[in-house]
Amino acid sequence: MNSMDIFAAFDSGCLRVPGKGKRFAALPWNRHPVFEGVSLKHLVTGEDSGGLFSYHLVRIEPGKAIGRHIHDPQLETHEVAAGRGVCLNDG
């Protein structure tokens, strides 16, 4: 499955938690405010989790990168669905 198929599959999904749900297709892609060529679809926000964590679909254009940054105290999870890259964690 190529990366566009993976994103299309996610778009047909939804997230359900007690009392509410989100259809992924209804959520917009947002340009990252700092990292050029990076877009996010906010599936779970800090507001949804009481500030504990967030979860996003992330698209990184070829030749672009997410730079060094910290999410404290929030947890950040990365799962590479397609392509390749390098992740440096805690130095």
Side-chain angles (χ1 to χ4, degrees):
M1 182 179 284
N2 71 43
S3 62
M4 294 312 291
D5 292 338
I6 291 168
F7 286 118
F10 267 103
D11 264 348
S12 66
C14 66
L15 173 71
R16 296 190 192 281
V17 295
K20 62 181 169 181
K22 289 184 183 178
R23 294 209 169 275
F24 298 159
L27 302 174
W29 283 100
N30 303 279
R31 290 186 181 270
H32 194 285
V34 176
F35 304 121
E36 179 185 346
V38 177
S39 299
L40 305 125
K41 186 175 273 219
H42 307 299
L43 305 182
V44 177
T45 66
E47 184 178 304
D48 297 324
S49 70
L52 298 175
F53 69 95
S54 58
Y55 193 79
H56 316 274
L57 290 182
V58 180
R59 291 191 302 204
I60 305 171
E61 295 174 13
K64 301 299 181 181
I66 296 175
R68 295 182 98 168
H69 63 285
I70 295 175
H71 290 268
D72 186 25
Q74 281 191 343
L75 174 66
E76 182 176 62
T77 301
H78 293 265
E79 182 173 337
V80 178
R84 61 190 172 130
V86 175
C87 177
L88 178 65
N89 187 8
D90 197 22

